[in-house]
Amino acid sequence: MESERRTVDVIIPSYRPGDKFLRLLNMLSVQSYPVRKIIVMNTEKSFWKEEEFSGILNLEVHHLKKEEFDHGATRNKGASYSSADVMVFMTDDAVPADRFLLENLMEGFEKEGADGEPVCAVYARQLPNPNCDLAEQYTRRFNYPDKELIKTKRDIPAMGIKTFFASNVCCAYDRKMFFQSGGFINRTIFNEDMIYAGRAIKERGWAVVYKPEAQVYHSHNYGCIAQFKRNFDLAVSQADHPEVFQGIRSESEGIRLVKSTAAWLAGQGKLWMIPGLIVKSGFKYMGYLAGKRYRRLPKKAVMAFTMNREYWKKADI
């Protein structure tokens, strides 16, 4: 198959890497589809423990300062060190579920859209970690179902913002197409993956594939404040890129998730968890509304609401 002739590099931004990161590296070393090189973009050299990762083959580490990190630019820099046919971007807390993660991702590039659109990116399914809370377990199933998707421009009316959904927790990119389109937005607070996917689909007429057989363990147990901050940053990224998100509402998808999760909790006999779900969802929505209107807020409020304070230190607000 064509995919077997293509080389793969894995690019991972890291910050204070620990045991989970080591498990990630070890799982990459036993993949059925070979990894040519693992490129790590590590924030702050003082947090990198060379002796812990010395046994990992083909590991290439580049250090940067915390103030230099950017969700888009740092990944673009990592991509500049790769000459592979396909680049797989991962986060340092995503652990492959099995030996076939890369093999399954590569199969996604053999697909095409309904009108023959070429595939520029293939993203993996995220499974909940063993310690993941119940509502978040359902959220993972809601956002990462077991059905394969090949998303193109024709899906926008029916799928809305979900058409552009892709996640650099684990996502493979055709390197030639990546650089042809300019890569990730060089300066962004968050959401560089969806901005890329949105532009690729809307402007270039390409396809993005979701491959549920490619699986990683990745989840967070965020509290209300953390959810507020995360959704604030998410909405900032959407407000800053109307060329991708304007006219495509995401609130309706959020409401659908809340209703679906509440029904699932009720079906599990966990009615007592529904009020907490509603409260947390309220924090998400408030964060989203604040982020969409961040230009009207004083800088002190923006700094209090964001997860990414370093980003705003270089921003003109």
Side-chain angles (χ1 to χ4, degrees):
M1 290 187 299
E2 181 187 353
S3 65
E4 293 175 342
R5 298 194 296 269
R6 306 183 81 186
T7 55
V8 175
D9 286 344
V10 180
I11 302 170
I12 314 170
S14 69
Y15 181 60
R16 295 179 181 265
D19 292 343
K20 191 173 287 187
F21 182 64
L22 184 58
R23 293 203 302 274
L24 160 59
L25 296 180
N26 284 328
M27 285 300 296
L28 289 177
S29 71
V30 297
Q31 289 294 301
S32 62
Y33 197 104
V35 179
R36 193 185 72 106
K37 185 165 61 172
I38 301 170
I39 301 165
V40 177
M41 302 299 293
N42 178 66
T43 300
E44 296 297 344
K45 188 174 183 179
S46 60
F47 297 138
W48 182 263
K49 297 178 176 62
E50 188 70 41
E51 65 280 2
E52 291 188 12
F53 312 113
S54 58
I56 304 298
L57 297 177
N58 304 318
L59 183 65
E60 178 180 308
V61 184
H62 302 270
H63 300 289
L64 59 147
K65 298 289 186 183
K66 189 174 182 180
E67 59 269 19
E68 295 174 321
F69 176 82
D70 182 272
H71 281 272
T74 299
R75 287 176 168 87
N76 284 338
K77 188 69 173 176
S80 73
Y81 297 124
S82 172
S83 58
D85 299 312
V86 172
M87 303 178 298
V88 177
F89 288 89
M90 298 184 71
T91 54
D92 62 1
D93 59 348
V95 179
D98 55 37
R99 296 176 54 246
F100 307 104
L101 171 67
L102 298 183
E103 183 176 324
N104 284 313
L105 285 174
M106 293 300 288
E107 287 178 1
F109 289 104
E110 298 170 19
K111 311 288 183 177
E112 61 179 26
D115 297 317
E117 297 93 339
V119 174
C120 66
V122 183
Y123 68 100
R125 186 180 192 180
Q126 295 182 31
L127 304 175
N129 287 313
N131 65 343
C132 185
D133 65 47
L134 203 58
E136 182 61 22
Q137 288 181 33
Y138 182 80
T139 298
R140 281 287 173 269
R141 286 199 288 273
F142 182 90
N143 287 328
Y144 300 95
D146 57 8
K147 181 183 177 183
E148 179 180 281
L149 296 172
I150 304 173
K151 300 183 291 184
T152 66
K153 190 183 293 188
R154 68 154 55 187
D155 294 303
I156 294 174
M159 294 185 67
I161 200 165
K162 277 282 192 179
T163 311
F164 308 148
F165 186 73
S167 176
N168 275 344
V169 164
C170 184
C171 189
Y173 294 81
D174 179 286
R175 182 176 178 276
K176 189 177 291 184
M177 297 171 80
F178 181 86
F179 283 106
Q180 182 184 336
S181 64
F184 298 122
I185 188 79
N186 249 320
R187 178 158 167 72
T188 181
I189 188 169
F190 190 47
N191 219 22
E192 78 292 334
D193 36 26
M194 282 187 69
I195 295 168
Y196 179 90
R199 287 179 166 177
I201 289 170
K202 288 180 71 175
E203 298 173 11
R204 302 221 165 231
W206 293 343
V208 171
V209 169
Y210 165 61
K211 203 76 170 68
E213 297 86 359
Q215 300 178 352
V216 294
Y217 286 104
H218 179 265
S219 59
H220 294 286
N221 291 327
Y222 286 137
C224 290
I225 300 302
Q227 290 285 14
F228 178 99
K229 290 172 176 280
R230 187 178 188 280
N231 276 41
F232 177 85
D233 289 352
L234 174 69
V236 167
S237 74
Q238 292 185 13
D240 282 347
H241 294 282
E243 77 282 2
V244 176
F245 299 106
Q246 193 169 45
I248 300 178
R249 290 175 60 86
S250 58
E251 289 95 328
S252 56
E253 186 66 17
I255 293 168
R256 191 168 75 90
L257 171 59
V258 175
K259 289 181 176 178
S260 184
T261 307
W264 182 77
L265 288 172
Q268 298 292 309
K270 306 289 185 180
L271 289 169
W272 57 272
M273 295 186 70
I274 294 177
L277 167 70
I278 293 170
V279 170
K280 188 175 286 188
S281 300
F283 273 85
K284 287 183 182 180
Y285 188 55
M286 288 188 293
Y288 181 81
L289 290 179
K292 292 286 273 189
R293 297 160 176 78
Y294 82 90
R295 293 184 182 90
R296 306 179 198 173
L297 300 175
K299 186 168 185 176
K300 188 175 291 187
V302 170
M303 295 299 281
F305 293 167
T306 185
M307 260 188 171
N308 296 282
R309 293 175 64 89
E310 291 294 330
Y311 173 84
W312 295 102
K313 291 177 182 178
K314 296 177 282 186
D316 183 21
I317 58 169

